[in-house]
PDB file of all heavy atoms in Angstrom:
ATOM      1  N   VAL A   4      -6.825  -4.821  -3.670  1.00 94.00           N
ATOM      2  CA  VAL A   4      -5.445  -4.851  -3.176  1.00 94.00           C
ATOM      3  C   VAL A   4      -4.683  -3.747  -3.897  1.00 94.00           C
ATOM      4  O   VAL A   4      -4.857  -3.552  -5.105  1.00 94.00           O
ATOM      5  CB  VAL A   4      -4.782  -6.216  -3.464  1.00 94.00           C
ATOM      6  CG1 VAL A   4      -3.331  -6.223  -3.038  1.00 94.00           C
ATOM      7  CG2 VAL A   4      -5.538  -7.338  -2.789  1.00 94.00           C
ATOM      8  N   LYS A   5      -3.861  -3.004  -3.156  1.00 94.00           N
ATOM      9  CA  LYS A   5      -3.042  -1.943  -3.746  1.00 94.00           C
ATOM     10  C   LYS A   5      -1.589  -2.145  -3.349  1.00 94.00           C
ATOM     11  O   LYS A   5      -1.297  -2.641  -2.263  1.00 94.00           O
ATOM     12  CB  LYS A   5      -3.465  -0.566  -3.237  1.00 94.00           C
ATOM     13  CG  LYS A   5      -4.770  -0.088  -3.728  1.00 94.00           C
ATOM     14  CD  LYS A   5      -5.024   1.384  -3.514  1.00 94.00           C
ATOM     15  CE  LYS A   5      -4.768   1.902  -2.149  1.00 94.00           C
ATOM     16  NZ  LYS A   5      -5.195   3.301  -1.964  1.00 94.00           N
ATOM     17  N   VAL A   6      -0.693  -1.748  -4.215  1.00 95.00           N
ATOM     18  CA  VAL A   6       0.736  -1.732  -3.920  1.00 95.00           C
ATOM     19  C   VAL A   6       1.254  -0.346  -4.278  1.00 95.00           C
ATOM     20  O   VAL A   6       1.011   0.144  -5.380  1.00 95.00           O
ATOM     21  CB  VAL A   6       1.506  -2.804  -4.732  1.00 95.00           C
ATOM     22  CG1 VAL A   6       2.988  -2.716  -4.461  1.00 95.00           C
ATOM     23  CG2 VAL A   6       0.990  -4.191  -4.390  1.00 95.00           C
ATOM     24  N   GLY A   7       1.932   0.280  -3.336  1.00 93.00           N
ATOM     25  CA  GLY A   7       2.493   1.609  -3.560  1.00 93.00           C
ATOM     26  C   GLY A   7       4.002   1.578  -3.397  1.00 93.00           C
ATOM     27  O   GLY A   7       4.540   0.775  -2.635  1.00 93.00           O
ATOM     28  N   ALA A   8       4.683   2.432  -4.123  1.00 94.00           N
ATOM     29  CA  ALA A   8       6.147   2.486  -4.051  1.00 94.00           C
ATOM     30  C   ALA A   8       6.587   3.946  -4.010  1.00 94.00           C
ATOM     31  O   ALA A   8       5.910   4.832  -4.526  1.00 94.00           O
ATOM     32  CB  ALA A   8       6.774   1.780  -5.243  1.00 94.00           C
ATOM     33  N   GLY A   9       7.727   4.154  -3.375  1.00 92.00           N
ATOM     34  CA  GLY A   9       8.252   5.502  -3.288  1.00 92.00           C
ATOM     35  C   GLY A   9       9.638   5.506  -2.679  1.00 92.00           C
ATOM     36  O   GLY A   9      10.304   4.479  -2.622  1.00 92.00           O
ATOM     37  N   VAL A  10      10.046   6.664  -2.207  1.00 92.00           N
ATOM     38  CA  VAL A  10      11.377   6.832  -1.622  1.00 92.00           C
ATOM     39  C   VAL A  10      11.225   7.332  -0.185  1.00 92.00           C
ATOM     40  O   VAL A  10      10.438   8.229   0.086  1.00 92.00           O
ATOM     41  CB  VAL A  10      12.208   7.847  -2.442  1.00 92.00           C
ATOM     42  CG1 VAL A  10      13.559   8.084  -1.801  1.00 92.00           C
ATOM     43  CG2 VAL A  10      12.377   7.361  -3.863  1.00 92.00           C
ATOM     44  N   VAL A  11      11.982   6.716   0.725  1.00 87.00           N
ATOM     45  CA  VAL A  11      11.995   7.119   2.132  1.00 87.00           C
ATOM     46  C   VAL A  11      13.262   7.921   2.374  1.00 87.00           C
ATOM     47  O   VAL A  11      14.344   7.557   1.913  1.00 87.00           O
ATOM     48  CB  VAL A  11      11.969   5.870   3.054  1.00 87.00           C
ATOM     49  CG1 VAL A  11      12.054   6.281   4.502  1.00 87.00           C
ATOM     50  CG2 VAL A  11      10.729   5.060   2.803  1.00 87.00           C
ATOM     51  N   HIS A  12      13.126   9.032   3.113  1.00 86.00           N
ATOM     52  CA  HIS A  12      14.270   9.893   3.397  1.00 86.00           C
ATOM     53  C   HIS A  12      14.258  10.276   4.874  1.00 86.00           C
ATOM     54  O   HIS A  12      13.203  10.459   5.460  1.00 86.00           O
ATOM     55  CB  HIS A  12      14.192  11.159   2.547  1.00 86.00           C
ATOM     56  CG  HIS A  12      15.185  12.210   2.931  1.00 86.00           C
ATOM     57  ND1 HIS A  12      16.536  12.030   2.769  1.00 86.00           N
ATOM     58  CD2 HIS A  12      15.016  13.430   3.473  1.00 86.00           C
ATOM     59  CE1 HIS A  12      17.154  13.118   3.201  1.00 86.00           C
ATOM     60  NE2 HIS A  12      16.248  13.985   3.643  1.00 86.00           N
ATOM     61  N   GLY A  13      15.422  10.398   5.479  1.00 76.00           N
ATOM     62  CA  GLY A  13      15.491  10.907   6.838  1.00 76.00           C
ATOM     63  C   GLY A  13      16.017   9.939   7.870  1.00 76.00           C
ATOM     64  O   GLY A  13      16.164  10.304   9.022  1.00 76.00           O
ATOM     65  N   TYR A  14      16.277   8.698   7.510  1.00 75.00           N
ATOM     66  CA  TYR A  14      16.826   7.739   8.462  1.00 75.00           C
ATOM     67  C   TYR A  14      18.339   7.929   8.529  1.00 75.00           C
ATOM     68  O   TYR A  14      19.073   7.466   7.675  1.00 75.00           O
ATOM     69  CB  TYR A  14      16.491   6.303   8.046  1.00 75.00           C
ATOM     70  CG  TYR A  14      15.064   5.929   8.342  1.00 75.00           C
ATOM     71  CD1 TYR A  14      14.043   6.243   7.465  1.00 75.00           C
ATOM     72  CD2 TYR A  14      14.751   5.265   9.513  1.00 75.00           C
ATOM     73  CE1 TYR A  14      12.737   5.902   7.739  1.00 75.00           C
ATOM     74  CE2 TYR A  14      13.444   4.908   9.796  1.00 75.00           C
ATOM     75  CZ  TYR A  14      12.445   5.236   8.901  1.00 75.00           C
ATOM     76  OH  TYR A  14      11.147   4.895   9.174  1.00 75.00           O
ATOM     77  N   ARG A  15      18.797   8.644   9.560  1.00 76.00           N
ATOM     78  CA  ARG A  15      20.218   8.954   9.710  1.00 76.00           C
ATOM     79  C   ARG A  15      20.689   8.549  11.099  1.00 76.00           C
ATOM     80  O   ARG A  15      19.899   8.195  11.963  1.00 76.00           O
ATOM     81  CB  ARG A  15      20.450  10.442   9.524  1.00 76.00           C
ATOM     82  CG  ARG A  15      20.119  10.924   8.145  1.00 76.00           C
ATOM     83  CD  ARG A  15      20.443  12.382   7.981  1.00 76.00           C
ATOM     84  NE  ARG A  15      20.058  12.818   6.638  1.00 76.00           N
ATOM     85  CZ  ARG A  15      19.732  14.028   6.331  1.00 76.00           C
ATOM     86  NH1 ARG A  15      19.741  14.964   7.251  1.00 76.00           N
ATOM     87  NH2 ARG A  15      19.397  14.336   5.114  1.00 76.00           N
ATOM     88  N   GLY A  16      21.985   8.657  11.315  1.00 77.00           N
ATOM     89  CA  GLY A  16      22.562   8.379  12.627  1.00 77.00           C
ATOM     90  C   GLY A  16      22.342   6.940  13.058  1.00 77.00           C
ATOM     91  O   GLY A  16      22.602   6.009  12.295  1.00 77.00           O
ATOM     92  N   GLU A  17      21.813   6.755  14.258  1.00 80.00           N
ATOM     93  CA  GLU A  17      21.632   5.405  14.795  1.00 80.00           C
ATOM     94  C   GLU A  17      20.536   4.627  14.062  1.00 80.00           C
ATOM     95  O   GLU A  17      20.472   3.410  14.156  1.00 80.00           O
ATOM     96  CB  GLU A  17      21.311   5.464  16.283  1.00 80.00           C
ATOM     97  CG  GLU A  17      19.999   6.164  16.598  1.00 80.00           C
ATOM     98  CD  GLU A  17      19.705   6.197  18.079  1.00 80.00           C
ATOM     99  OE1 GLU A  17      19.344   5.158  18.648  1.00 80.00           O
ATOM    100  OE2 GLU A  17      19.862   7.287  18.659  1.00 80.00           O
ATOM    101  N   TYR A  18      19.660   5.317  13.323  1.00 73.00           N
ATOM    102  CA  TYR A  18      18.564   4.655  12.597  1.00 73.00           C
ATOM    103  C   TYR A  18      18.915   4.338  11.144  1.00 73.00           C
ATOM    104  O   TYR A  18      18.102   3.789  10.417  1.00 73.00           O
ATOM    105  CB  TYR A  18      17.308   5.527  12.627  1.00 73.00           C
ATOM    106  CG  TYR A  18      16.852   5.828  14.025  1.00 73.00           C
ATOM    107  CD1 TYR A  18      17.047   7.083  14.582  1.00 73.00           C
ATOM    108  CD2 TYR A  18      16.264   4.844  14.795  1.00 73.00           C
ATOM    109  CE1 TYR A  18      16.647   7.357  15.869  1.00 73.00           C
ATOM    110  CE2 TYR A  18      15.861   5.099  16.090  1.00 73.00           C
ATOM    111  CZ  TYR A  18      16.056   6.362  16.627  1.00 73.00           C
ATOM    112  OH  TYR A  18      15.662   6.621  17.912  1.00 73.00           O
ATOM    113  N   ARG A  19      20.116   4.655  10.725  1.00 75.00           N
ATOM    114  CA  ARG A  19      20.518   4.496   9.330  1.00 75.00           C
ATOM    115  C   ARG A  19      20.396   3.058   8.830  1.00 75.00           C
ATOM    116  O   ARG A  19      19.997   2.816   7.698  1.00 75.00           O
ATOM    117  CB  ARG A  19      21.943   4.986   9.150  1.00 75.00           C
ATOM    118  CG  ARG A  19      22.398   4.958   7.723  1.00 75.00           C
ATOM    119  CD  ARG A  19      23.796   5.502   7.601  1.00 75.00           C
ATOM    120  NE  ARG A  19      24.177   5.498   6.214  1.00 75.00           N
ATOM    121  CZ  ARG A  19      24.905   6.415   5.655  1.00 75.00           C
ATOM    122  NH1 ARG A  19      25.358   7.411   6.372  1.00 75.00           N
ATOM    123  NH2 ARG A  19      25.207   6.349   4.384  1.00 75.00           N
ATOM    124  N   ASP A  20      20.715   2.079   9.678  1.00 78.00           N
ATOM    125  CA  ASP A  20      20.673   0.674   9.259  1.00 78.00           C
ATOM    126  C   ASP A  20      19.329   0.003   9.526  1.00 78.00           C
ATOM    127  O   ASP A  20      19.214  -1.208   9.387  1.00 78.00           O
ATOM    128  CB  ASP A  20      21.783  -0.100   9.968  1.00 78.00           C
ATOM    129  CG  ASP A  20      23.163   0.393   9.550  1.00 78.00           C
ATOM    130  OD1 ASP A  20      23.313   0.814   8.391  1.00 78.00           O
ATOM    131  OD2 ASP A  20      24.080   0.358  10.388  1.00 78.00           O
ATOM    132  N   LYS A  21      18.315   0.756   9.891  1.00 77.00           N
ATOM    133  CA  LYS A  21      16.999   0.176  10.174  1.00 77.00           C
ATOM    134  C   LYS A  21      16.248  -0.218   8.904  1.00 77.00           C
ATOM    135  O   LYS A  21      15.338  -1.035   8.962  1.00 77.00           O
ATOM    136  CB  LYS A  21      16.134   1.151  10.986  1.00 77.00           C
ATOM    137  CG  LYS A  21      16.679   1.443  12.355  1.00 77.00           C
ATOM    138  CD  LYS A  21      16.562   0.243  13.248  1.00 77.00           C
ATOM    139  CE  LYS A  21      17.028   0.586  14.649  1.00 77.00           C
ATOM    140  NZ  LYS A  21      16.953  -0.561  15.534  1.00 77.00           N
ATOM    141  N   ILE A  22      16.575   0.395   7.778  1.00 79.00           N
ATOM    142  CA  ILE A  22      15.945   0.035   6.517  1.00 79.00           C
ATOM    143  C   ILE A  22      17.033  -0.347   5.511  1.00 79.00           C
ATOM    144  O   ILE A  22      18.117   0.226   5.508  1.00 79.00           O
ATOM    145  CB  ILE A  22      15.059   1.169   5.960  1.00 79.00           C
ATOM    146  CG1 ILE A  22      15.843   2.466   5.808  1.00 79.00           C
ATOM    147  CG2 ILE A  22      13.861   1.400   6.830  1.00 79.00           C
ATOM    148  CD1 ILE A  22      15.058   3.573   5.144  1.00 79.00           C
ATOM    149  N   PRO A  23      16.771  -1.322   4.647  1.00 80.00           N
ATOM    150  CA  PRO A  23      17.770  -1.754   3.674  1.00 80.00           C
ATOM    151  C   PRO A  23      18.012  -0.711   2.576  1.00 80.00           C
ATOM    152  O   PRO A  23      17.156   0.123   2.299  1.00 80.00           O
ATOM    153  CB  PRO A  23      17.188  -3.034   3.079  1.00 80.00           C
ATOM    154  CG  PRO A  23      15.828  -3.184   3.609  1.00 80.00           C
ATOM    155  CD  PRO A  23      15.591  -2.144   4.642  1.00 80.00           C
ATOM    156  N   PHE A  24      19.157  -0.768   1.947  1.00 82.00           N
ATOM    157  CA  PHE A  24      19.539   0.089   0.810  1.00 82.00           C
ATOM    158  C   PHE A  24      19.556   1.572   1.172  1.00 82.00           C
ATOM    159  O   PHE A  24      19.264   2.432   0.356  1.00 82.00           O
ATOM    160  CB  PHE A  24      18.616  -0.130  -0.396  1.00 82.00           C
ATOM    161  CG  PHE A  24      18.478  -1.560  -0.795  1.00 82.00           C
ATOM    162  CD1 PHE A  24      17.275  -2.225  -0.625  1.00 82.00           C
ATOM    163  CD2 PHE A  24      19.543  -2.248  -1.323  1.00 82.00           C
ATOM    164  CE1 PHE A  24      17.137  -3.551  -0.989  1.00 82.00           C
ATOM    165  CE2 PHE A  24      19.423  -3.575  -1.690  1.00 82.00           C
ATOM    166  CZ  PHE A  24      18.215  -4.226  -1.522  1.00 82.00           C
ATOM    167  N   ASN A  25      19.897   1.904   2.423  1.00 82.00           N
ATOM    168  CA  ASN A  25      19.874   3.285   2.882  1.00 82.00           C
ATOM    169  C   ASN A  25      21.283   3.866   2.953  1.00 82.00           C
ATOM    170  O   ASN A  25      21.630   4.551   3.886  1.00 82.00           O
ATOM    171  CB  ASN A  25      19.201   3.358   4.260  1.00 82.00           C
ATOM    172  CG  ASN A  25      18.928   4.769   4.692  1.00 82.00           C
ATOM    173  OD1 ASN A  25      18.746   5.643   3.871  1.00 82.00           O
ATOM    174  ND2 ASN A  25      18.912   4.997   5.985  1.00 82.00           N
ATOM    175  N   GLY A  26      22.111   3.616   1.967  1.00 78.00           N
ATOM    176  CA  GLY A  26      23.483   4.089   1.989  1.00 78.00           C
ATOM    177  C   GLY A  26      23.621   5.595   1.902  1.00 78.00           C
ATOM    178  O   GLY A  26      24.459   6.200   2.556  1.00 78.00           O
ATOM    179  N   SER A  27      22.768   6.263   1.131  1.00 80.00           N
ATOM    180  CA  SER A  27      22.884   7.711   0.922  1.00 80.00           C
ATOM    181  C   SER A  27      21.850   8.523   1.703  1.00 80.00           C
ATOM    182  O   SER A  27      21.775   9.729   1.526  1.00 80.00           O
ATOM    183  CB  SER A  27      22.725   8.015  -0.563  1.00 80.00           C
ATOM    184  OG  SER A  27      21.420   7.686  -0.995  1.00 80.00           O
ATOM    185  N   GLY A  28      21.051   7.878   2.538  1.00 81.00           N
ATOM    186  CA  GLY A  28      19.991   8.577   3.249  1.00 81.00           C
ATOM    187  C   GLY A  28      18.649   8.483   2.549  1.00 81.00           C
ATOM    188  O   GLY A  28      17.637   8.919   3.077  1.00 81.00           O
ATOM    189  N   TYR A  29      18.625   7.940   1.345  1.00 87.00           N
ATOM    190  CA  TYR A  29      17.408   7.702   0.580  1.00 87.00           C
ATOM    191  C   TYR A  29      17.293   6.215   0.333  1.00 87.00           C
ATOM    192  O   TYR A  29      18.277   5.565   0.003  1.00 87.00           O
ATOM    193  CB  TYR A  29      17.442   8.422  -0.766  1.00 87.00           C
ATOM    194  CG  TYR A  29      17.434   9.923  -0.652  1.00 87.00           C
ATOM    195  CD1 TYR A  29      18.614  10.630  -0.524  1.00 87.00           C
ATOM    196  CD2 TYR A  29      16.239  10.613  -0.662  1.00 87.00           C
ATOM    197  CE1 TYR A  29      18.611  12.005  -0.412  1.00 87.00           C
ATOM    198  CE2 TYR A  29      16.224  11.997  -0.564  1.00 87.00           C
ATOM    199  CZ  TYR A  29      17.414  12.686  -0.438  1.00 87.00           C
ATOM    200  OH  TYR A  29      17.411  14.046  -0.328  1.00 87.00           O
ATOM    201  N   ALA A  30      16.101   5.653   0.474  1.00 87.00           N
ATOM    202  CA  ALA A  30      15.917   4.224   0.263  1.00 87.00           C
ATOM    203  C   ALA A  30      14.569   3.967  -0.402  1.00 87.00           C
ATOM    204  O   ALA A  30      13.600   4.692  -0.153  1.00 87.00           O
ATOM    205  CB  ALA A  30      15.980   3.482   1.593  1.00 87.00           C
ATOM    206  N   PRO A  31      14.472   2.926  -1.240  1.00 90.00           N
ATOM    207  CA  PRO A  31      13.187   2.591  -1.848  1.00 90.00           C
ATOM    208  C   PRO A  31      12.250   1.978  -0.808  1.00 90.00           C
ATOM    209  O   PRO A  31      12.691   1.318   0.130  1.00 90.00           O
ATOM    210  CB  PRO A  31      13.555   1.564  -2.923  1.00 90.00           C
ATOM    211  CG  PRO A  31      14.835   0.968  -2.449  1.00 90.00           C
ATOM    212  CD  PRO A  31      15.544   2.038  -1.696  1.00 90.00           C
ATOM    213  N   ALA A  32      10.964   2.219  -0.980  1.00 88.00           N
ATOM    214  CA  ALA A  32       9.961   1.668  -0.064  1.00 88.00           C
ATOM    215  C   ALA A  32       8.776   1.137  -0.858  1.00 88.00           C
ATOM    216  O   ALA A  32       8.378   1.727  -1.864  1.00 88.00           O
ATOM    217  CB  ALA A  32       9.491   2.728   0.909  1.00 88.00           C
ATOM    218  N   ILE A  33       8.239   0.023  -0.408  1.00 89.00           N
ATOM    219  CA  ILE A  33       7.051  -0.575  -1.014  1.00 89.00           C
ATOM    220  C   ILE A  33       6.070  -0.880   0.111  1.00 89.00           C
ATOM    221  O   ILE A  33       6.449  -1.475   1.119  1.00 89.00           O
ATOM    222  CB  ILE A  33       7.395  -1.871  -1.780  1.00 89.00           C
ATOM    223  CG1 ILE A  33       8.358  -1.562  -2.922  1.00 89.00           C
ATOM    224  CG2 ILE A  33       6.135  -2.535  -2.305  1.00 89.00           C
ATOM    225  CD1 ILE A  33       8.882  -2.781  -3.632  1.00 89.00           C
ATOM    226  N   VAL A  34       4.832  -0.455  -0.044  1.00 91.00           N
ATOM    227  CA  VAL A  34       3.787  -0.749   0.932  1.00 91.00           C
ATOM    228  C   VAL A  34       2.627  -1.435   0.230  1.00 91.00           C
ATOM    229  O   VAL A  34       2.339  -1.162  -0.940  1.00 91.00           O
ATOM    230  CB  VAL A  34       3.285   0.511   1.667  1.00 91.00           C
ATOM    231  CG1 VAL A  34       4.370   1.093   2.535  1.00 91.00           C
ATOM    232  CG2 VAL A  34       2.766   1.539   0.710  1.00 91.00           C
ATOM    233  N   ALA A  35       1.981  -2.356   0.924  1.00 93.00           N
ATOM    234  CA  ALA A  35       0.831  -3.079   0.392  1.00 93.00           C
ATOM    235  C   ALA A  35      -0.402  -2.728   1.206  1.00 93.00           C
ATOM    236  O   ALA A  35      -0.317  -2.456   2.403  1.00 93.00           O
ATOM    237  CB  ALA A  35       1.081  -4.574   0.448  1.00 93.00           C
ATOM    238  N   ALA A  36      -1.554  -2.739   0.553  1.00 95.00           N
ATOM    239  CA  ALA A  36      -2.807  -2.423   1.220  1.00 95.00           C
ATOM    240  C   ALA A  36      -3.902  -3.354   0.725  1.00 95.00           C
ATOM    241  O   ALA A  36      -3.914  -3.765  -0.432  1.00 95.00           O
ATOM    242  CB  ALA A  36      -3.211  -0.983   0.963  1.00 95.00           C
ATOM    243  N   VAL A  37      -4.821  -3.681   1.627  1.00 96.00           N
ATOM    244  CA  VAL A  37      -6.014  -4.455   1.298  1.00 96.00           C
ATOM    245  C   VAL A  37      -7.205  -3.641   1.768  1.00 96.00           C
ATOM    246  O   VAL A  37      -7.210  -3.147   2.904  1.00 96.00           O
ATOM    247  CB  VAL A  37      -6.001  -5.831   1.998  1.00 96.00           C
ATOM    248  CG1 VAL A  37      -7.284  -6.592   1.721  1.00 96.00           C
ATOM    249  CG2 VAL A  37      -4.808  -6.647   1.572  1.00 96.00           C
ATOM    250  N   GLY A  38      -8.195  -3.482   0.902  1.00 96.00           N
ATOM    251  CA  GLY A  38      -9.335  -2.660   1.256  1.00 96.00           C
ATOM    252  C   GLY A  38     -10.649  -3.284   0.862  1.00 96.00           C
ATOM    253  O   GLY A  38     -10.709  -4.218   0.066  1.00 96.00           O
ATOM    254  N   TYR A  39     -11.706  -2.722   1.437  1.00 96.00           N
ATOM    255  CA  TYR A  39     -13.059  -3.174   1.140  1.00 96.00           C
ATOM    256  C   TYR A  39     -13.995  -1.970   1.161  1.00 96.00           C
ATOM    257  O   TYR A  39     -13.909  -1.131   2.066  1.00 96.00           O
ATOM    258  CB  TYR A  39     -13.523  -4.207   2.171  1.00 96.00           C
ATOM    259  CG  TYR A  39     -14.878  -4.782   1.862  1.00 96.00           C
ATOM    260  CD1 TYR A  39     -15.024  -5.760   0.890  1.00 96.00           C
ATOM    261  CD2 TYR A  39     -16.011  -4.336   2.520  1.00 96.00           C
ATOM    262  CE1 TYR A  39     -16.263  -6.292   0.595  1.00 96.00           C
ATOM    263  CE2 TYR A  39     -17.259  -4.853   2.230  1.00 96.00           C
ATOM    264  CZ  TYR A  39     -17.377  -5.838   1.271  1.00 96.00           C
ATOM    265  OH  TYR A  39     -18.610  -6.362   0.968  1.00 96.00           O
ATOM    266  N   CYS A  40     -14.869  -1.880   0.166  1.00 94.00           N
ATOM    267  CA  CYS A  40     -15.855  -0.801   0.100  1.00 94.00           C
ATOM    268  C   CYS A  40     -17.267  -1.382   0.196  1.00 94.00           C
ATOM    269  O   CYS A  40     -17.596  -2.360  -0.475  1.00 94.00           O
ATOM    270  CB  CYS A  40     -15.737  -0.029  -1.214  1.00 94.00           C
ATOM    271  SG  CYS A  40     -14.255   0.978  -1.328  1.00 94.00           S
ATOM    272  N   TYR A  41     -18.078  -0.765   1.043  1.00 93.00           N
ATOM    273  CA  TYR A  41     -19.485  -1.114   1.163  1.00 93.00           C
ATOM    274  C   TYR A  41     -20.282   0.161   0.906  1.00 93.00           C
ATOM    275  O   TYR A  41     -20.168   1.128   1.677  1.00 93.00           O
ATOM    276  CB  TYR A  41     -19.796  -1.675   2.549  1.00 93.00           C
ATOM    277  CG  TYR A  41     -21.254  -2.001   2.748  1.00 93.00           C
ATOM    278  CD1 TYR A  41     -21.819  -3.099   2.130  1.00 93.00           C
ATOM    279  CD2 TYR A  41     -22.066  -1.186   3.527  1.00 93.00           C
ATOM    280  CE1 TYR A  41     -23.152  -3.404   2.292  1.00 93.00           C
ATOM    281  CE2 TYR A  41     -23.403  -1.473   3.702  1.00 93.00           C
ATOM    282  CZ  TYR A  41     -23.945  -2.583   3.076  1.00 93.00           C
ATOM    283  OH  TYR A  41     -25.275  -2.874   3.232  1.00 93.00           O
ATOM    284  N   LEU A  42     -21.048   0.147  -0.169  1.00 90.00           N
ATOM    285  CA  LEU A  42     -21.733   1.345  -0.640  1.00 90.00           C
ATOM    286  C   LEU A  42     -20.699   2.450  -0.845  1.00 90.00           C
ATOM    287  O   LEU A  42     -19.818   2.298  -1.670  1.00 90.00           O
ATOM    288  CB  LEU A  42     -22.844   1.753   0.324  1.00 90.00           C
ATOM    289  CG  LEU A  42     -23.957   0.709   0.519  1.00 90.00           C
ATOM    290  CD1 LEU A  42     -24.935   1.162   1.582  1.00 90.00           C
ATOM    291  CD2 LEU A  42     -24.671   0.429  -0.785  1.00 90.00           C
ATOM    292  N   ARG A  43     -20.733   3.543  -0.080  1.00 91.00           N
ATOM    293  CA  ARG A  43     -19.747   4.620  -0.234  1.00 91.00           C
ATOM    294  C   ARG A  43     -18.698   4.622   0.870  1.00 91.00           C
ATOM    295  O   ARG A  43     -17.798   5.453   0.868  1.00 91.00           O
ATOM    296  CB  ARG A  43     -20.472   5.969  -0.262  1.00 91.00           C
ATOM    297  CG  ARG A  43     -21.337   6.131  -1.505  1.00 91.00           C
ATOM    298  CD  ARG A  43     -22.065   7.447  -1.547  1.00 91.00           C
ATOM    299  NE  ARG A  43     -21.188   8.542  -1.263  1.00 91.00           N
ATOM    300  CZ  ARG A  43     -21.595   9.689  -0.738  1.00 91.00           C
ATOM    301  NH1 ARG A  43     -22.865   9.862  -0.427  1.00 91.00           N
ATOM    302  NH2 ARG A  43     -20.746  10.658  -0.512  1.00 91.00           N
ATOM    303  N   LEU A  44     -18.799   3.707   1.828  1.00 94.00           N
ATOM    304  CA  LEU A  44     -17.870   3.631   2.950  1.00 94.00           C
ATOM    305  C   LEU A  44     -16.759   2.633   2.632  1.00 94.00           C
ATOM    306  O   LEU A  44     -17.031   1.470   2.335  1.00 94.00           O
ATOM    307  CB  LEU A  44     -18.613   3.208   4.223  1.00 94.00           C
ATOM    308  CG  LEU A  44     -17.798   3.148   5.498  1.00 94.00           C
ATOM    309  CD1 LEU A  44     -17.310   4.538   5.885  1.00 94.00           C
ATOM    310  CD2 LEU A  44     -18.624   2.555   6.617  1.00 94.00           C
ATOM    311  N   CYS A  45     -15.508   3.090   2.679  1.00 94.00           N
ATOM    312  CA  CYS A  45     -14.361   2.235   2.356  1.00 94.00           C
ATOM    313  C   CYS A  45     -13.412   2.166   3.544  1.00 94.00           C
ATOM    314  O   CYS A  45     -13.214   3.158   4.250  1.00 94.00           O
ATOM    315  CB  CYS A  45     -13.599   2.774   1.147  1.00 94.00           C
ATOM    316  SG  CYS A  45     -14.563   2.762  -0.366  1.00 94.00           S
ATOM    317  N   SER A  46     -12.833   1.007   3.735  1.00 96.00           N
ATOM    318  CA  SER A  46     -11.849   0.804   4.791  1.00 96.00           C
ATOM    319  C   SER A  46     -10.650   0.080   4.192  1.00 96.00           C
ATOM    320  O   SER A  46     -10.799  -0.740   3.290  1.00 96.00           O
ATOM    321  CB  SER A  46     -12.452  -0.017   5.926  1.00 96.00           C
ATOM    322  OG  SER A  46     -11.503  -0.207   6.937  1.00 96.00           O
ATOM    323  N   GLU A  47      -9.471   0.379   4.730  1.00 96.00           N
ATOM    324  CA  GLU A  47      -8.237  -0.160   4.154  1.00 96.00           C
ATOM    325  C   GLU A  47      -7.220  -0.425   5.260  1.00 96.00           C
ATOM    326  O   GLU A  47      -7.139   0.335   6.220  1.00 96.00           O
ATOM    327  CB  GLU A  47      -7.700   0.876   3.172  1.00 96.00           C
ATOM    328  CG  GLU A  47      -6.572   0.455   2.328  1.00 96.00           C
ATOM    329  CD  GLU A  47      -6.260   1.515   1.283  1.00 96.00           C
ATOM    330  OE1 GLU A  47      -6.933   1.538   0.230  1.00 96.00           O
ATOM    331  OE2 GLU A  47      -5.361   2.331   1.528  1.00 96.00           O
ATOM    332  N   ILE A  48      -6.468  -1.497   5.123  1.00 97.00           N
ATOM    333  CA  ILE A  48      -5.359  -1.788   6.027  1.00 97.00           C
ATOM    334  C   ILE A  48      -4.080  -1.720   5.203  1.00 97.00           C
ATOM    335  O   ILE A  48      -3.933  -2.427   4.209  1.00 97.00           O
ATOM    336  CB  ILE A  48      -5.495  -3.164   6.687  1.00 97.00           C
ATOM    337  CG1 ILE A  48      -6.731  -3.186   7.578  1.00 97.00           C
ATOM    338  CG2 ILE A  48      -4.254  -3.498   7.497  1.00 97.00           C
ATOM    339  CD1 ILE A  48      -7.013  -4.518   8.207  1.00 97.00           C
ATOM    340  N   VAL A  49      -3.162  -0.841   5.622  1.00 94.00           N
ATOM    341  CA  VAL A  49      -1.874  -0.654   4.949  1.00 94.00           C
ATOM    342  C   VAL A  49      -0.802  -1.262   5.843  1.00 94.00           C
ATOM    343  O   VAL A  49      -0.729  -0.943   7.025  1.00 94.00           O
ATOM    344  CB  VAL A  49      -1.577   0.847   4.710  1.00 94.00           C
ATOM    345  CG1 VAL A  49      -0.288   1.018   3.938  1.00 94.00           C
ATOM    346  CG2 VAL A  49      -2.733   1.511   3.998  1.00 94.00           C
TER     347      VAL A  49
END
């Protein structure tokens, strides 16, 4: 299981309220992923 965090930029105009905490055009983002590796082949769902 992986958890990634970063900053989202570019939601302006009519899309400004689509993500929370987007007052200045920048908003925090967190994504989760679950993966499985078999031998050298890995697959992941984000």
